[in-house]
Amino acid sequence: MSAGIPLPRIGAPAMRALAQVGIRTVEDLEDADLGELATLHGIGPKAIRLLRAAREEKCRDELNSEQEGTSG
């Protein structure tokens, strides 16, 4: 089991569908095709919005961390 940022709160069917394709943390979403994930049973538009937002937030946090590290 990988440690990382937990996925946002989405329904149990969506969580099961993601787990079946190996996505258990936000880090696992980095290379995921959200369009492909949207085709999985249990993954609806709301889940995709939440997953996209979580992935974008992680990217922003990483970018901010990198910028803070180079400003000193």
Side-chain angles (χ1 to χ4, degrees):
M1 180 178 231
S2 61
I5 301 169
L7 292 171
R9 293 182 152 246
I10 55 178
M15 293 296 285
R16 284 191 297 271
L18 292 173
Q20 287 179 343
V21 296
I23 297 175
R24 292 177 174 80
T25 66
V26 173
E27 289 82 0
D28 296 334
L29 286 172
E30 288 179 9
D31 297 323
D33 180 342
L34 295 180
E36 238 178 76
L37 294 180
T39 67
L40 299 174
H41 180 75
I43 306 283
K46 181 178 179 184
I48 292 297
R49 281 194 307 275
L50 293 170
L51 295 172
R52 180 178 289 117
R55 184 166 72 177
E56 289 172 357
E57 181 178 349
K58 182 182 182 307
C59 289
R60 276 193 306 275
D61 289 348
E62 287 177 352
L63 182 61
N64 288 338
S65 293
E66 289 174 12
Q67 289 174 347
E68 288 173 4
T70 59
S71 65

